[in-house]
Amino acid sequence: MAKVAIDTRRLGELPNLCVKTGEPTATTRRQNFADIPGWTLLLIFWGLIPFLIAAGFARRKITVELPASEETLRRLRLVDVGAVVGLVLGIGLLVAALAREQAVLAWIGIAVALITLVAAAGMRAVVWVGGRLDKEILWLNGVHPRFAEQAQTLAPPDLTQRARAESG
């Protein structure tokens, strides 16, 4: 899998290739990306709530329609459904344990819920792309090499010049 930088002013020009499989596609999936200024991290020393408030107000958010094939969307839905089923099962076991006053069943319910969260996060990283917003650049990672090759023309000009200068 590859990584690509895209100028946020050119997001409407994304190639019609699935970001994950590189197949031609007409379908898209809406994805949010955010940039939280570094200075907000200093507020953690004053507590989580001040940090969350400052980060919420200071963050910059964009929504992108990323091209995705039907197969990629199906895999993503499967991961999401599996996560919901695992969490419902874990919470159900926990509630049943509390009703019957069985500590072992409660720990099993907690373990199922936690394992589901970790597994779902890991699987989502496999079946979908990650990314971060850095000022006017959207960095996508885990994209298919064919998508990255066609999308590299959407990189900001100064980034392309910087990469040439470093390699030359």
Side-chain angles (χ1 to χ4, degrees):
M1 291 292 134
K3 183 175 186 177
V4 67
I6 300 170
D7 187 331
T8 56
R9 295 167 294 217
R10 299 186 66 194
L11 289 171
E13 303 172 38
L14 289 174
N16 289 329
L17 295 175
C18 175
V19 292
K20 203 63 185 171
T21 64
E23 300 171 10
T25 185
T27 57
T28 61
R29 182 174 191 283
R30 183 170 290 152
Q31 179 79 30
N32 294 321
F33 297 96
D35 179 21
I36 300 173
W39 63 263
T40 59
L41 292 173
L42 295 173
L43 295 176
I44 282 204
F45 296 115
W46 284 274
L48 185 61
I49 293 180
F51 163 72
L52 292 174
I53 291 170
F57 282 109
R59 78 177 178 165
R60 196 171 135 263
K61 182 177 129 182
I62 62 168
T63 302
V64 182
E65 292 285 338
L66 292 173
S69 67
E70 288 296 331
E71 180 63 19
T72 299
L73 293 174
R74 186 189 66 75
R75 288 181 193 148
L76 198 53
R77 280 191 297 272
L78 190 61
V79 169
D80 290 347
V81 167
V84 169
V85 168
L87 285 175
V88 167
L89 178 64
I91 292 169
L93 286 171
L94 184 59
V95 169
L98 293 175
R100 293 181 173 204
E101 297 179 5
Q102 293 182 350
V104 172
L105 194 57
W107 285 112
I108 291 172
I110 291 170
V112 167
L114 290 176
I115 290 169
T116 298
L117 287 173
V118 171
M123 286 306 298
R124 223 167 201 292
V126 170
V127 299
W128 191 236
V129 298
R132 67 181 173 84
L133 183 61
D134 184 14
K135 295 184 175 84
E136 296 299 318
I137 302 171
L138 175 61
W139 291 92
L140 293 176
N141 49 32
V143 300
H144 193 275
R146 237 177 298 165
F147 178 86
E149 182 182 319
Q150 288 198 11
Q152 74 183 13
T153 61
L154 304 176
D158 60 331
L159 185 68
T160 308
Q161 292 168 358
R162 218 177 320 152
R164 284 188 193 136
E166 289 173 2
S167 65

